[in-house]
Amino acid sequence: MDVYEAVASRRAVRGFTGQPVPREALERVLSAAARSPSGSNIQPWNTYVVTGGLLDELKTRAVERVAHGDPWDEREYQMYPPALKSPYDERRSAFGKERYSALGIAREDWEARQRAAIANWNCFGAPAALFCYIDHDLGVAQWADVGMYLQTIMLLLRAEGLHSCPQMAWSQVRETVAEVLSPPDGLILFCGMSIGYEDPAVKYVRTGRAPLDETVTFVDDESSGLRKVEHSARAESGRFR
C-alpha cells in the first residue's frame, strides 16, 4: 500500500471484529512511528498499548461508569473553543448529522444517541487500544508533535491491513483509564485509539472534506499578480546599496 492509498483509506472506523491484532504488527507500527517529526527531537509522546483481559477490564469499567450516569472527569485541555466560529461550527454540525444519520438515529432521540456514544468506551469492539499521554509541562508545539505522531501511527496501521479510530472521548474518563494503566504523575491523557480489523457489516458514511480552494491558498507570480523582478534590476535601483 503506497502513502496515497493509506491516506485515502484511513478513516475513523466505528465497528471492529474481535480478530486479535498481532503483537508483531503493533511493534512494527510503533517502531516506525517513532520516526515522526518533533521539535528538537524531544518526542513528547507517552504511549500505552492495551489488549487482552486488561483491555476488557478497562472497557467494562468505562462503559459501566458512563451507563450509570457518573459525572465526566474534567478534561485537562480544551477540546473546542466555547464559541466555535464559522466555518468550523458548520463542519462539526455536518459531521454529527452524517454520523447519526448513518446509524438511523434521529436528532431528537437522545437515548439512542447516548447508546451510540457509549460504544466509544467499548472501543467499538476493537481488540486493541492505544492511549497517548503528553507531559503537563509541555506546550502547544509539542501537542502538534503528538498529532503528527498519531497520524503516522494511523497510516502505518493501514499498511498492516488494520484500521483505527482516534477518540478524545477517553479523556472524559481519564481517571478510570489511570486506575488501570497507572501512568506517572504529570501526564495528561490526550486521547485513546481503537485498533483492529474493520467489521464490514457495520454501516458508515464517508465524511466529506472542504474543497481545496476553501482551505488552501497557492501563492505564486501568476495567482498574486506580482511581477518577477530580477535581482540585478533591484540592485541597480539602489535599494540594496
Side-chain angles (χ1 to χ4, degrees), residues 188-227:
I188 294 175
L189 177 58
F190 174 43
C191 73
M193 181 188 295
S194 297
I195 298 172
Y197 296 96
E198 181 182 9
D199 182 353
V202 176
K203 295 181 180 179
Y204 75 94
V205 172
R206 183 74 169 178
T207 56
R209 293 295 186 270
L212 194 66
D213 60 4
E214 188 175 312
T215 60
V216 178
T217 301
F218 288 94
V219 181
D220 55 32
D221 293 340
E222 182 178 351
S223 63
S224 66
L226 297 176
R227 290 186 303 165

Side-chain angles (χ1 to χ4, degrees), residues 62 82 141 144 164 175 177 180 188 240:
S164 62
E175 292 182 6
V177 178
V180 175
I188 294 175
F240 296 101

Side-chain angles (χ1 to χ4, degrees), residues 50-185:
V50 191
T51 58
L54 201 60
L55 180 58
D56 291 339
E57 179 185 348
L58 178 53
K59 289 178 181 180
T60 299
R61 289 193 191 190
V63 168
E64 288 181 351
R65 175 180 170 180
V66 176
H68 291 159
D70 293 347
W72 300 122
D73 297 329
E74 184 179 356
R75 277 197 176 103
E76 295 179 284
Y77 62 90
Q78 187 179 70
M79 186 170 176
Y80 300 108
L84 196 60
K85 65 182 183 180
S86 181
Y88 315 111
D89 185 48
E90 291 86 348
R91 292 172 186 166
R92 182 185 180 190
S93 297
F95 164 75
K97 183 177 180 180
E98 291 172 351
R99 162 85 173 123
Y100 291 111
S101 294
L103 297 173
I105 297 174
R107 180 181 179 85
E108 63 276 7
D109 192 343
W110 180 248
E111 289 187 4
R113 290 166 72 95
Q114 284 292 89
R115 288 195 299 271
I118 285 176
N120 270 286
W121 297 283
N122 190 43
C123 294
F124 303 105
L130 175 153
F131 295 89
C132 189
Y133 287 80
I134 184 171
D135 195 289
H136 184 275
D137 294 329
L138 296 179
V140 174
Q142 287 74 57
W143 285 78
D145 293 339
V146 169
M148 290 188 283
Y149 169 72
L150 292 170
Q151 172 76 338
T152 302
I153 289 173
M154 289 186 281
L155 295 180
L156 289 168
L157 288 170
R158 293 300 303 120
E160 295 284 348
L162 294 160
H163 273 285
S164 62
C165 182
Q167 299 160 270
M168 286 186 281
W170 280 100
S171 65
Q172 295 175 290
V173 292
R174 59 182 177 81
E175 292 182 6
T176 301
V177 178
E179 289 171 2
V180 175
L181 301 185
S182 300
D185 292 340

